[in-house]
Amino acid sequence: MAHILLVEDDENLRFTFEAFLRRAGYTVDPVPSVPAALEAALRQPPDVVVADILLGGEEGLVLPGSLRSRGLEAPVLLVTGNPSLDTASRAVSTGAFEYLIKPVERDALLAAVARAHAHKSLQDERAALHDELQRLRAHLEAIFRSVPDVLVSVGRDGRVVRINDAGLGVLRLSGEEVEGRHWQEVFGEWESQLGDVLRHALESRQRVPRRRVNITVDEGASQVFEVSASPLRGETGDYLGAVLVLRDISRLAACCPPGGAPGEWGLVGLSPAMQRIYHLLEDLAPTDTTVLVTGESGTGKELVAEALHNAGPRATGPLIKVNCAALPETLLESELFGHVRGAFTGALRDRVGRFQLAHGGTIFLDEIGDLSPQVQLRLLRVLQEREFERVGDTRTTRVDVRVIAATHRNLRERVASGLFREDLYYRLRVVELHMPPLRERHEDLALLAEHFVGVFNQQFSRCVMGFTEAASRALMTHSWPGNVRELRHAVEHGFILCKGERIDLADLPPDVQGTEASVFPRAERSGVHEVAVREALKKAGGNKARAARLLGVARQTLYRKLAEYGIRD
């Protein structure tokens, strides 16, 4: 209940007022003078003060000002037995809440105290809200200032409302030069690169997906930034303007420049293991040296072949890829070296082989460890002499090709067991480049996952911002036996099922979630599983095997779901 400070020098009246107030449930601190009142107020701040104007020669009129000067904001009810216009005017001017005339009846006193207490409660609530607002504003201001990304807040009229310290540093401006000016003036020479993004956000009132721009900064140096913009809305949804976010990704762009390719070498990663790969690629790219790329499935061996070809002198020539494990021996020899009409049953016309198609460029022989002994022998000759005969032909064909081979098998063990020719092994292994598994480059996980989100954003014209904390934790703790390929499929799975701004744990494949959850965890909760199946089929172009991989389920499960939802080919 409210605490009342009662200031009255008439003992009988003080006793009467105290009795009225206590019976109404208030706590009361009765004092006879202004000094005693100030001392009591400092000891226990009152909610309401009831004071006589005349207090043994002192004036109670000084109480409102004296309390305020001490930081006490309590409404004061002044009581007088000699009312006059002058006294009332002075009471109001000192800030008294109400002016009561003796004799004061019990009901009138209690009603006035109740009004004063309600006013004090509102004052306290307003002060508390103001303090909380100031605290939050200071907290947000600290965050705004300390964020390393450039943040530029613009009003509906296009004028800059706020820009953080990072923005002032990058734009080489001071706060006085920026706030209140139109964003076109502030951006200056950067307007052509940043203007479209901010203008689109202001006009459409929609989020603009991230894009990359090259911007010249101090001393003519060029930096790569990622720019995006989002509309700003108040608590009630009213449109306030837009905020532009500019992030310096120059270091990342060294391996992930704009234009779709993850990097100069087509690879993503900043770990020490990947840095060694980049240095080795720099040495190998300008040469025609035969390279053997080893590593587990899904580590990016094909990307290495593409990097060596694209960064070398043969980049203008063809890059021909052959999966040696995908074709039976009878077809593989013809596929590699070609054949003439009538060479075997079904050879109805001459055919040019992959080696001949790769003339002047590069041939990539994937899964080289699965070659049969006969094909191994013919391949050895090509590596030694750069010549061969088509199947069924007596004429020798010479080719100018660079050979890059890859395998997930241990060729040393296959040589030891007699399954792979030792001379061919050493011909292929002029330089061996081993791609590390993802578990040995754990620090690249987040970078790869964000890269794939960017790839799918561009592919699907969406704006997924990344991962929730739970999803990120699951990605970081998964063992990734399928390496980068498995990670890409997991992110694509999450991307397809994601309905919000960020991929959540429930969007990821069950094995990545680390639980024995249903293969349709989101579907069973929100009833959109049929939509997920249809989206996966659409993304896979109707290929059910690929759609099943995207959903993280077996093909049999997909067939069952297709029948259940009545989805036909």
Side-chain angles (χ1 to χ4, degrees):
M1 198 62 181
H3 177 65
I4 311 299
L5 176 61
L6 177 60
V7 190
E8 175 59 65
D9 59 347
D10 185 321
E11 186 174 354
N12 291 328
L13 192 55
R14 187 169 68 242
F15 177 81
T16 301
F17 282 1
E18 180 183 1
F20 289 163
L21 293 168
R22 289 191 185 278
R23 287 170 187 166
Y26 297 105
T27 62
V28 183
D29 193 355
V31 294
S33 64
V34 169
L38 295 175
E39 183 180 341
L42 291 173
R43 184 173 61 248
Q44 182 177 358
D47 294 305
V48 178
V49 177
V50 178
D52 200 337
I53 287 182
L54 296 176
L55 296 167
E58 295 179 296
E59 284 195 338
L61 288 171
V62 302
L63 266 176
S66 298
L67 290 171
R68 282 196 300 274
S69 68
R70 289 163 173 77
L72 300 171
E73 295 292 338
V76 179
L77 301 176
L78 291 177
V79 182
T80 181
N82 298 301
S84 67
L85 181 61
D86 179 63
T87 304
S89 176
R90 291 174 61 197
V92 171
S93 67
T94 60
F97 179 76
E98 200 162 326
Y99 182 72
L100 301 177
I101 300 173
K102 295 178 183 179
V104 181
E105 296 182 355
R106 181 182 68 86
D107 291 344
L109 175 65
L110 296 181
V113 169
R115 288 192 296 272
H117 180 229
H119 177 75
K120 177 63 164 55
S121 298
L122 287 174
Q123 277 188 321
D124 291 346
E125 184 177 355
R126 189 181 298 112
L129 289 173
H130 180 266
D131 291 345
E132 178 66 11
L133 181 61
Q134 291 298 104
R135 187 187 67 80
L136 290 175
R137 183 172 294 166
H139 187 66
L140 289 173
E141 181 68 19
I143 294 174
F144 190 83
R145 286 199 311 269
S146 62
V147 168
D149 299 339
V150 173
L151 300 177
V152 183
S153 172
V154 178
R156 286 179 295 182
D157 59 357
R159 297 188 179 278
V160 175
V161 178
R162 290 285 284 107
I163 182 169
N164 68 343
D165 291 351
L168 294 174
V170 170
L171 295 170
R172 301 184 295 281
L173 296 168
S174 66
E176 293 75 16
E177 295 177 289
V178 170
E179 294 175 10
R181 293 172 57 193
H182 197 275
W183 61 266
Q184 290 176 315
E185 299 177 56
V186 173
F187 290 159
E189 60 189 86
W190 292 13
E191 194 275 333
S192 59
Q193 292 135 308
L194 305 180
D196 287 345
V197 176
L198 187 55
R199 188 180 294 107
H200 182 69
L202 287 168
E203 292 175 355
S204 69
R205 302 187 181 185
Q206 299 292 324
R207 183 189 302 275
V208 180
R210 292 173 291 181
R211 62 182 67 173
R212 293 182 182 179
V213 295
N214 289 299
I215 293 177
T216 301
V217 291
D218 288 332
E219 299 178 356
S222 179
Q223 290 179 226
V224 182
F225 288 86
E226 192 174 65
V227 59
S228 63
S230 300
L232 288 174
R233 299 190 182 278
E235 292 183 4
T236 58
D238 50 318
Y239 177 65
L240 304 177
V243 60
L244 182 132
V245 180
L246 198 64
R247 174 176 296 176
D248 185 354
I249 57 167
S250 300
R251 183 167 173 262
L252 175 62
C255 68
C256 295
E264 181 183 0
W265 303 113
L267 300 164
V268 175
L270 296 173
S271 62
M274 290 306 297
Q275 294 299 326
R276 289 192 290 270
I277 296 294
Y278 299 147
H279 291 316
L280 191 53
L281 287 173
E282 287 179 0
D283 295 334
L284 291 174
T287 73
D288 272 346
T289 302
T290 301
V291 178
L292 176 63
V293 187
T294 60
E296 298 176 8
S297 294
T299 51
K301 297 187 291 294
E302 185 175 338
L303 291 177
V304 169
E306 293 174 353
L308 289 171
H309 173 76
N310 294 329
R314 296 178 178 270
T316 56
L319 170 61
I320 305 299
K321 302 175 183 179
V322 184
N323 188 332
C324 300
L327 296 169
E329 179 185 350
T330 53
L331 293 179
L332 181 60
E333 192 171 0
S334 172
E335 191 73 25
L336 288 174
F337 308 112
H339 63 256
V340 295
R341 179 180 177 185
F344 51 83
T345 303
L348 303 179
R349 59 181 179 273
D350 290 357
R351 176 169 181 170
V352 175
R354 298 294 185 92
F355 266 96
Q356 195 169 349
L357 290 173
H359 182 73
T362 305
I363 188 167
F364 173 55
L365 304 175
D366 199 8
E367 301 301 349
I368 196 76
D370 294 312
L371 289 178
S372 67
Q374 181 179 345
V375 178
Q376 289 181 39
L377 181 60
R378 295 202 63 180
L379 180 58
L380 178 63
R381 182 187 173 202
V382 176
L383 292 176
Q384 291 174 332
E385 310 295 339
R386 290 299 192 269
E387 62 182 30
F388 60 90
E389 289 82 32
R390 292 185 293 175
V391 177
D393 198 0
T394 57
R395 292 171 297 177
T396 298
T397 301
R398 293 192 61 82
V399 290
D400 173 24
V401 296
R402 181 182 190 177
V403 177
I404 301 172
T407 181
H408 73 282
R409 298 185 181 276
N410 188 324
L411 291 188
R412 286 183 180 273
E413 292 181 356
R414 293 183 72 78
V415 168
S417 61
L419 297 174
F420 201 85
R421 295 182 63 97
E422 185 175 19
D423 48 1
L424 176 59
Y425 170 63
Y426 287 114
R427 278 288 178 182
L428 291 170
R429 189 180 170 270
V430 176
V431 177
E432 180 176 348
L433 192 155
H434 180 72
M435 288 298 293
L438 194 51
R439 62 181 174 274
E440 293 180 6
R441 40 185 295 220
H442 192 264
E443 56 267 60
D444 290 335
L445 259 171
L447 183 63
L448 282 161
E450 290 293 339
H451 165 69
F452 290 137
V453 169
V455 169
F456 297 136
N457 271 330
Q458 188 173 28
Q459 183 177 340
F460 293 105
S461 299
R462 289 179 60 186
C463 188
V464 174
M465 304 302 292
F467 303 86
T468 64
E469 184 178 346
S472 295
R473 189 163 52 247
L475 292 175
M476 297 302 289
T477 55
H478 186 61
S479 59
W480 301 112
N483 294 298
V484 179
R485 183 184 295 121
E486 182 190 4
L487 175 62
R488 181 187 176 106
H489 289 163
V491 174
E492 188 171 7
H493 180 285
F495 193 94
I496 289 174
L497 297 186
C498 173
K499 303 303 176 187
E501 289 189 345
R502 295 183 180 275
I503 297 173
D504 200 1
L505 179 64
D507 300 322
L508 299 175
D511 57 329
V512 177
Q513 293 180 36
T515 66
E516 294 298 324
S518 161
V519 294
F520 292 100
R522 178 184 291 278
E524 293 176 359
R525 291 196 302 272
S526 60
V528 298
H529 49 283
E530 182 178 348
V531 175
V533 172
R534 291 184 184 277
E535 286 185 359
L537 279 172
K538 182 179 179 181
K539 169 65 180 75
N543 186 310
K544 295 183 179 63
R546 188 179 180 207
R549 287 197 299 272
L550 293 177
L551 291 167
V553 301
R555 267 188 285 183
Q556 292 82 355
T557 303
L558 177 61
Y559 292 142
R560 178 164 50 81
K561 291 293 179 181
L562 292 175
E564 179 181 342
Y565 304 139
I567 301 174
R568 303 185 183 278
D569 295 343

Coordinates of all heavy atoms in Angstrom, one line a residue, residues 536-563:
A536 N 11.1 -31.0 -53.9 CA 12.2 -31.9 -54.2 C 12.2 -32.5 -55.6 O 13.2 -32.5 -56.3 CB 12.4 -33.0 -53.2
L537 N 11.0 -32.9 -56.0 CA 10.8 -33.5 -57.3 C 11.1 -32.4 -58.4 O 11.7 -32.7 -59.4 CB 9.4 -34.1 -57.5 CG 9.2 -35.5 -56.9 CD1 7.8 -35.9 -57.0 CD2 10.0 -36.5 -57.7
K538 N 10.5 -31.2 -58.1 CA 10.7 -30.1 -59.1 C 12.2 -29.8 -59.2 O 12.7 -29.6 -60.3 CB 9.9 -28.9 -58.6 CG 10.0 -27.7 -59.6 CD 9.1 -26.6 -59.1 CE 9.2 -25.4 -60.0 NZ 8.4 -24.2 -59.5
K539 N 12.9 -29.7 -58.1 CA 14.3 -29.3 -58.1 C 15.1 -30.4 -58.8 O 16.1 -30.1 -59.6 CB 14.8 -29.2 -56.7 CG 16.3 -29.1 -56.6 CD 16.8 -27.9 -57.2 CE 18.3 -27.8 -57.1 NZ 19.0 -28.7 -58.0
A540 N 14.7 -31.7 -58.7 CA 15.4 -32.8 -59.3 C 15.0 -33.0 -60.7 O 15.5 -34.0 -61.3 CB 15.2 -34.1 -58.4
G541 N 14.1 -32.2 -61.2 CA 13.7 -32.4 -62.6 C 12.9 -33.7 -62.8 O 13.0 -34.3 -63.9
G542 N 12.3 -34.2 -61.8 CA 11.5 -35.4 -61.9 C 12.3 -36.7 -61.6 O 11.8 -37.8 -61.6
N543 N 13.6 -36.5 -61.4 CA 14.5 -37.6 -61.1 C 14.3 -38.1 -59.7 O 14.6 -37.4 -58.7 CB 16.0 -37.2 -61.3 CG 16.9 -38.4 -61.2 OD1 16.9 -39.1 -60.2 ND2 17.8 -38.6 -62.1
K544 N 13.7 -39.2 -59.5 CA 13.3 -39.7 -58.1 C 14.5 -40.0 -57.3 O 14.4 -39.8 -56.1 CB 12.3 -40.9 -58.2 CG 11.0 -40.5 -58.9 CD 10.1 -41.8 -58.9 CE 8.7 -41.4 -59.5 NZ 8.9 -41.1 -61.0
A545 N 15.5 -40.5 -57.9 CA 16.7 -40.9 -57.1 C 17.3 -39.6 -56.5 O 17.6 -39.5 -55.3 CB 17.7 -41.6 -57.9
R546 N 17.4 -38.5 -57.3 CA 17.9 -37.3 -56.8 C 17.0 -36.6 -55.8 O 17.4 -36.1 -54.8 CB 18.2 -36.3 -57.9 CG 19.0 -35.1 -57.5 CD 19.3 -34.2 -58.6 NE 20.0 -33.0 -58.1 CZ 20.0 -31.8 -58.6 NH1 19.3 -31.6 -59.7 NH2 20.7 -30.8 -58.1
A547 N 15.7 -36.7 -56.1 CA 14.7 -36.1 -55.1 C 14.8 -36.8 -53.8 O 14.7 -36.2 -52.7 CB 13.3 -36.3 -55.7
A548 N 15.0 -38.1 -53.8 CA 15.1 -38.9 -52.5 C 16.4 -38.4 -51.8 O 16.4 -38.2 -50.5 CB 15.2 -40.4 -52.8
R549 N 17.5 -38.1 -52.5 CA 18.7 -37.6 -51.8 C 18.5 -36.3 -51.2 O 18.9 -36.0 -50.1 CB 19.9 -37.6 -52.8 CG 20.4 -38.9 -53.2 CD 21.8 -38.8 -53.9 NE 21.8 -38.0 -55.1 CZ 21.5 -38.5 -56.3 NH1 21.3 -39.8 -56.5 NH2 21.5 -37.7 -57.4
L550 N 17.8 -35.4 -52.0 CA 17.5 -34.1 -51.5 C 16.7 -34.1 -50.2 O 16.8 -33.3 -49.3 CB 16.7 -33.2 -52.5 CG 17.5 -32.9 -53.8 CD1 16.6 -32.1 -54.7 CD2 18.8 -32.1 -53.5
L551 N 15.7 -35.1 -50.1 CA 14.9 -35.2 -48.9 C 15.6 -36.0 -47.8 O 15.1 -36.1 -46.7 CB 13.6 -35.9 -49.3 CG 12.6 -35.0 -50.2 CD1 11.5 -35.9 -50.8 CD2 12.0 -33.9 -49.4
G552 N 16.7 -36.6 -48.1 CA 17.4 -37.5 -47.1 C 16.7 -38.7 -46.8 O 16.7 -39.2 -45.7
V553 N 16.0 -39.3 -47.8 CA 15.2 -40.6 -47.6 C 15.6 -41.6 -48.6 O 16.2 -41.3 -49.7 CB 13.7 -40.3 -47.6 CG1 13.3 -39.3 -46.6 CG2 13.3 -39.9 -49.0
A554 N 15.3 -42.9 -48.4 CA 15.5 -43.9 -49.4 C 14.5 -43.8 -50.5 O 13.4 -43.2 -50.3 CB 15.4 -45.3 -48.7
R555 N 14.9 -44.3 -51.7 CA 13.9 -44.2 -52.8 C 12.6 -44.9 -52.5 O 11.6 -44.5 -52.9 CB 14.6 -44.8 -54.0 CG 15.3 -43.8 -54.9 CD 15.8 -44.3 -56.2 NE 17.0 -45.2 -56.0 CZ 17.6 -45.7 -57.0 NH1 17.2 -45.6 -58.3 NH2 18.7 -46.5 -56.8
Q556 N 12.7 -46.1 -51.8 CA 11.5 -46.8 -51.4 C 10.5 -45.9 -50.6 O 9.3 -45.9 -50.8 CB 11.8 -48.1 -50.7 CG 12.5 -49.1 -51.5 CD 14.0 -48.8 -51.6 OE1 14.5 -47.8 -51.1 NE2 14.8 -49.8 -52.2
T557 N 11.2 -45.1 -49.7 CA 10.3 -44.2 -48.9 C 9.7 -43.2 -49.7 O 8.5 -42.8 -49.5 CB 11.2 -43.6 -47.8 OG1 11.8 -44.6 -47.0 CG2 10.4 -42.6 -46.9
L558 N 10.5 -42.6 -50.7 CA 9.9 -41.6 -51.6 C 8.7 -42.2 -52.4 O 7.7 -41.6 -52.6 CB 11.0 -41.1 -52.5 CG 10.5 -40.1 -53.6 CD1 9.9 -38.8 -52.9 CD2 11.7 -39.7 -54.5
Y559 N 8.9 -43.4 -52.9 CA 7.8 -44.1 -53.7 C 6.6 -44.2 -52.8 O 5.5 -44.0 -53.3 CB 8.3 -45.4 -54.2 CG 9.3 -45.4 -55.3 CD1 10.4 -46.3 -55.3 CD2 9.3 -44.3 -56.2 CE1 11.4 -46.2 -56.3 CE2 10.3 -44.3 -57.2 CZ 11.3 -45.2 -57.2 OH 12.3 -45.1 -58.2
R560 N 6.8 -44.6 -51.6 CA 5.6 -44.7 -50.7 C 4.9 -43.4 -50.5 O 3.7 -43.3 -50.4 CB 6.1 -45.3 -49.4 CG 5.0 -45.5 -48.3 CD 5.5 -46.5 -47.2 NE 6.8 -46.1 -46.7 CZ 7.0 -45.1 -45.8 NH1 5.9 -44.5 -45.3 NH2 8.2 -44.9 -45.3
K561 N 5.7 -42.3 -50.3 CA 5.2 -41.0 -50.1 C 4.4 -40.5 -51.4 O 3.4 -39.9 -51.3 CB 6.2 -40.0 -49.7 CG 6.8 -40.3 -48.3 CD 5.7 -40.0 -47.3 CE 6.2 -40.2 -45.9 NZ 5.1 -40.0 -44.8
L562 N 5.0 -40.8 -52.5 CA 4.3 -40.4 -53.8 C 3.0 -41.1 -53.9 O 2.0 -40.5 -54.3 CB 5.2 -40.8 -55.0 CG 6.5 -40.1 -55.1 CD1 7.4 -40.6 -56.3 CD2 6.3 -38.6 -55.4
A563 N 2.9 -42.4 -53.5 CA 1.6 -43.1 -53.6 C 0.7 -42.5 -52.5 O -0.5 -42.3 -52.8 CB 1.9 -44.6 -53.4

